[in-house]
Amino acid sequence: MAEPLSSSQDAPNPTATEQRVLVTNKHGENLVGLLHHTGTNKVVVLCHGFTASKDDGIIVDLAAAITKRGISVFRFDFSGNGESEGEFQYGNYRKEADDLHSVVSYLYQEKYDVAAVVGHSKGGDVVVLYASIYNDVPMVVNLSGRFNLEKGVEERLGKEFMDRINKEGYIDVTNKSGKFLYRVTKESLMERLNTDMHAASLSISKECRFFTIHGSADEIIPVEDAYEFAKLIPNHKLRVIEGANHCYTAHRKELSDAVVESITSNEEGDTPP
């Protein structure tokens, strides 16, 4: 299932040891992760966003903030991303939720106590979907996830994308200078369009403590999406960070503080931090 590769002291928190770990997903692909072990078996799993990786700035900063509180962290690359095996796909929400399940199962098997799963952007949608399918983690934190997955497609794929994909069977996405970035197949596009965050939100157990954090100035996914999650998820708390954009560029500390506060709130009970 997993194979530890190497250890070092080069971790976000100098008191945490860093171990490279391979976890095999249900398709036999190796997912590459980094385990920041602080000496406690309590661990938080961090999930990156679209075309990002475990080394994304937000993920690395969150790992540093969480390990500073003495909580271990596991950050990893979804299949087809970063160092992990598999082919990159545009949609893949369900497959990424299954990847996360492989990671969580591995950590439980290794006698870790998974305290929370945290996902940013597309990773936020993945943790929502995860909580609706697998009722095996006590807490989920959605950072800037998209509620309506039909939105945001035209911005990436261009106008009349459905006509183009029906005609060609795929769309190749390029950057402004024309460099090829990735291919969107009709199957992967339809998987995204058919992923229902409304139904997923309603399927989450009230036993699962759910937090959504979103920037009020998010230029990619509007903050209104956060309020939609808040309306539907049973045991939900919403935190809007005033002025923050999608990547919390100028609000990274506020984001880290909000995530740490969410994760440690059940420990502190009614005692103020």
Side-chain angles (χ1 to χ4, degrees):
M1 183 81 178
E3 176 194 333
L5 296 184
S6 63
S7 289
S8 77
Q9 294 295 323
D10 183 21
N13 176 4
T15 62
T17 59
E18 184 179 300
Q19 184 180 33
R20 186 176 155 92
V21 176
L22 293 182
V23 177
T24 307
N25 70 8
K26 66 191 283 189
H27 302 279
E29 297 160 338
N30 284 322
L31 309 176
V32 179
L34 288 173
L35 177 62
H36 303 276
H37 190 46
T38 60
T40 174
N41 282 349
K42 182 176 179 181
V43 66
V44 171
V45 180
L46 301 180
C47 303
H48 65 77
F50 182 67
T51 67
S53 77
K54 64 183 178 307
D55 299 321
D56 188 56
I58 282 185
I59 300 297
V60 172
D61 286 352
L62 288 175
I66 294 165
T67 55
K68 269 181 193 163
R69 292 298 294 261
I71 301 166
S72 298
V73 165
F74 189 88
R75 55 187 172 102
F76 73 103
D77 296 324
F78 285 115
S79 52
N81 291 266
E83 297 182 276
S84 290
E85 294 177 352
E87 187 181 349
F88 175 83
Q89 294 287 346
Y90 174 72
N92 251 19
Y93 291 85
R94 176 58 196 258
K95 188 184 180 194
E96 291 189 358
D98 289 342
D99 283 352
L100 178 55
H101 185 58
S102 297
V103 166
V104 169
S105 299
Y106 164 75
L107 291 167
Y108 280 138
Q109 180 186 306
E110 294 297 309
K111 309 301 180 201
Y112 281 91
D113 172 19
V114 180
V117 295
V118 180
H120 174 246
S121 193
K122 184 187 181 187
D125 288 308
V126 171
V127 297
V128 172
L129 201 56
Y130 183 87
S132 75
I133 300 166
Y134 303 106
N135 187 22
D136 62 354
V137 291
M139 184 184 300
V140 174
V141 185
N142 158 34
L143 310 176
S144 311
R146 189 182 289 281
F147 182 78
N148 185 349
L149 290 173
E150 292 178 7
K151 301 257 179 82
V153 177
E154 189 175 295
E155 289 85 335
R156 289 196 196 272
L157 304 188
K159 291 188 175 180
E160 300 172 350
F161 62 86
M162 281 308 300
D163 290 342
R164 286 176 61 207
I165 212 158
N166 281 329
K167 185 180 174 187
E168 304 289 338
Y170 64 90
I171 294 173
D172 283 343
V173 177
T174 58
N175 64 13
K176 287 177 183 173
S177 62
K179 183 188 172 192
F180 173 80
L181 296 176
Y182 53 87
R183 174 166 287 187
V184 178
T185 63
K186 184 175 181 182
E187 182 185 12
S188 66
L189 173 62
M190 296 315 295
E191 196 254 0
R192 170 172 171 149
L193 296 177
N194 292 325
T195 299
D196 187 346
M197 286 290 123
H198 186 283
S201 298
L202 291 173
S203 301
I204 295 171
S205 165
K206 65 179 187 300
E207 302 302 317
C208 176
R209 300 177 70 229
F210 202 104
F211 295 85
T212 294
I213 300 169
H214 212 110
S216 70
D218 192 320
E219 75 287 11
I220 293 174
I221 299 173
V223 69
E224 286 75 18
D225 284 37
Y227 290 98
E228 294 300 320
F229 285 119
K231 284 180 200 169
L232 299 170
I233 296 173
N235 185 355
H236 187 280
K237 283 188 181 174
L238 172 62
R239 168 82 180 271
V240 174
I241 298 181
E242 202 57 42
N245 65 8
H246 188 63
C247 289
Y248 300 85
T249 313
H251 296 80
R252 203 56 69 77
K253 185 178 187 304
E254 291 94 324
L255 172 67
S256 294
D257 288 348
V259 171
V260 168
E261 190 180 308
S262 301
I263 291 165
T264 57
S265 58
N266 63 328
E267 294 179 338
E268 291 160 0
D270 295 327
T271 309

